[in-house]
Amino acid sequence: MTVVAIDDTDSRERGMCTTYLAALIAERLGDVDRTLLVRLNPAVEHKTRGNAALAVHTGADPDRSLAVVRDALDGAETADPDTNPGAVVVPGDPGGVPERVADQAGSLIGALAAAGAWRAGGEWTYECLAYRERPRWGTPREVNRESVFAAADRAYPDAWDTVDRTEGETVCVPHTPGPVLYGIRGEDPDTARAVADRIESEPVARRRVFVTNQGTDAHLRAAALSDVRDGYAYRVEGTVADPPETREGGHVFMGIREGDTRLRCAAFEPTKRFRDRVRALRAGDRIIACGEVGGGTLKLEKFAVRHLVTTERVTPACPDCGRSMESAGRGQGYRCRDCGTHRDRAAERTLERDLEPGWYEVPPCARRHVSKPLVRGGFDAPVHPER
Ligand code: ZN
């Protein structure tokens, strides 16, 4: 076996796409066990543009693999000065890629991540990517919307993020000028292919199913609030301390705390209806927040309600006249000036809450590649999936 890994060939201007190059290489090599599409930590500073790295696991020998990769990279649109493609060819079994390869290859971080991904293991999902005929690159995509929604309905929830029903958006069809016509994400290759088969569109030039870490939350690490740093993505627990506030542009901010540590959390405008869930939080609610942290702010991808505040303290009403009582002084309870009645403490009022315990998430149209949709299951509380 030989592992061929590439990254960072995405050229925004010329419409190249790393997955396309991997598909080409896989076709030319033949004898392919699998093609991996690895989404790298979305928070890292020196990320590649598509934030993806690819690996082809092939029975072709290393010399021939190297020749095919060289040829494909030469043909790739590397004249773009912002593009810095990396390739690694590792002889042997994908499960045995040696750690020292990283030291030898220096800065080819993305390609190395892809080369070592199979060995690192973890959870895998699938994406069936369909590519456009080359003369059509950069022109509007011809994809029949109704066929996409019908195919998505049929395969849900085994295929996810194909569409966003509330926004009426075909999420599987990209807006960038690259070669991808659409990408169908699913639990297994057959489901992804079956959805693709049902989509009516312009001619599909080529198609390949990738094994991916998409939809797995592979980027999230559980941490205490006090250990959170910029540049990583977390799952942290805290109590809402600063209530949600909508600012200019429709972005919603709130703060959580644990002990002396505070963390600002944000749901930005593109997360659409998710912001209503965040706005429904109140000070005192106990939550788990998930997302990447940058500039001291956690960009919410999902959150879980652990405990909801269900009562609030209010000034008591006078038992005789029914009017609102007044404070009798600090720690002195309340009194009614007219009737002379006294109450030791505040009254409690039940709060109507628009949230329930459990998980809430951004809609499909705002999902990060690597974020796990709630509908995939495996969460530790009830889920409220968006579709
Ligand atoms: Zn009174």
Side-chain angles (χ1 to χ4, degrees), residues 89-100:
V89 175
V90 186
D93 184 77
V97 171
E99 285 174 32
R100 69 171 191 282

Side-chain angles (χ1 to χ4, degrees), residues 327-335 342-345:
S327 173
R330 193 177 173 82
Q332 305 289 306
Y334 298 85
R335 65 175 181 186
H342 184 267
R343 280 280 177 273
D344 286 339
R345 56 181 64 87

Side-chain angles (χ1 to χ4, degrees), residues 318 321 336 339:
C318 169
C321 71
C336 176
C339 309

Side-chain angles (χ1 to χ4, degrees), residues 2 34 103 146:
T2 304
R34 69 189 67 82
D103 302 330
E146 286 67 34

Side-chain angles (χ1 to χ4, degrees), residues 196-248:
D197 284 343
R198 290 179 173 278
I199 293 176
E200 295 163 20
S201 71
E202 65 184 53
V204 172
R206 50 174 43 84
R207 189 168 102 165
R208 181 156 290 268
V209 174
F210 292 83
V211 183
T212 88
N213 65 344
Q214 292 170 164
T216 65
D217 276 347
H219 61 315
L220 296 183
R221 54 179 78 187
L225 214 52
S226 53
D227 292 333
V228 167
R229 286 176 295 153
D230 281 354
Y232 296 92
Y234 294 99
R235 174 194 158 105
V236 289
E237 185 163 357
T239 301
V240 176
D242 310 307
E245 181 190 337
T246 304
R247 300 202 189 141
E248 195 179 342

Side-chain angles (χ1 to χ4, degrees), residues 21-341:
L21 193 64
L24 277 184
I25 290 171
E27 269 177 33
R28 290 178 193 173
L29 285 172
D31 195 8
V32 172
D33 272 16
R34 69 189 67 82
T35 312
L36 280 186
L37 163 53
V38 179
R39 298 290 179 177
L40 308 173
N41 175 7
V44 296
E45 193 180 344
H46 299 290
K47 60 189 172 190
T48 62
R49 225 173 274 131
N51 213 21
L54 281 294
V56 181
H57 299 168
T58 174
D61 67 58
D63 288 343
R64 192 173 147 252
S65 299
L66 193 57
V68 167
V69 171
R70 282 214 171 107
D71 191 48
L73 284 179
D74 287 346
E77 313 211 327
T78 53
D80 184 332
D82 292 337
T83 297
N84 182 25
V88 182
V89 175
V90 186
D93 184 77
V97 171
E99 285 174 32
R100 69 171 191 282
V101 168
D103 302 330
Q104 293 167 350
S107 64
L108 302 171
I109 296 164
L112 284 162
W118 196 250
R119 176 184 170 160
E123 191 183 353
W124 300 104
T125 64
Y126 298 85
E127 179 162 9
C128 178
L129 279 159
Y131 297 97
R132 317 184 67 192
E133 292 178 330
R134 191 146 194 155
R136 292 178 184 262
W137 293 10
T139 66
R141 290 170 175 80
E142 290 171 23
V143 178
N144 180 291
R145 278 175 55 83
E146 286 67 34
S147 72
V148 175
F149 277 88
D153 261 339
R154 211 183 148 92
Y156 187 86
D158 293 329
W160 65 84
D161 290 359
T162 313
V163 298
D164 188 315
R165 283 168 181 75
T166 306
E167 297 297 323
E169 193 178 314
T170 51
V171 176
C172 64
V173 182
H175 303 294
T176 47
V180 173
L181 182 58
Y182 52 79
I184 308 301
R185 296 172 181 191
E187 297 293 334
D188 61 85
D190 289 342
T191 299
R193 276 192 211 100
V195 173
D197 284 343
R198 290 179 173 278
I199 293 176
E200 295 163 20
S201 71
E202 65 184 53
V204 172
R206 50 174 43 84
R207 189 168 102 165
R208 181 156 290 268
V209 174
F210 292 83
V211 183
T212 88
N213 65 344
Q214 292 170 164
T216 65
D217 276 347
H219 61 315
L220 296 183
R221 54 179 78 187
L225 214 52
S226 53
D227 292 333
V228 167
R229 286 176 295 153
D230 281 354
Y232 296 92
Y234 294 99
R235 174 194 158 105
V236 289
E237 185 163 357
T239 301
V240 176
D242 310 307
E245 181 190 337
T246 304
R247 300 202 189 141
E248 195 179 342
H251 312 305
V252 178
F253 292 86
M254 58 110 179
I256 59 174
R257 73 179 295 169
E258 182 76 344
D260 293 333
T261 311
R262 283 173 177 261
L263 179 65
R264 186 166 61 168
C265 301
F268 292 104
E269 190 280 334
T271 63
K272 302 296 176 193
R273 56 197 187 265
F274 177 63
R275 294 172 298 161
D276 294 334
R277 304 304 194 182
V278 176
R279 284 189 194 103
L281 288 165
R282 291 183 68 107
D285 289 343
R286 188 78 179 160
I287 67 166
I288 305 276
C290 298
E292 75 172 76
V293 176
T297 301
L298 185 146
K299 298 162 192 163
L300 285 166
E301 295 168 12
K302 58 170 72 78
F303 70 86
V305 173
R306 287 296 193 233
H307 176 75
L308 284 176
V309 173
T310 53
T311 58
E312 67 178 341
R313 294 159 72 88
V314 291
T315 305
C318 169
D320 288 353
C321 71
R323 281 189 294 229
S324 186
M325 298 173 86
E326 292 174 358
S327 173
R330 193 177 173 82
Q332 305 289 306
Y334 298 85
R335 65 175 181 186
C336 176
R337 193 182 293 169
D338 297 335
C339 309
T341 52

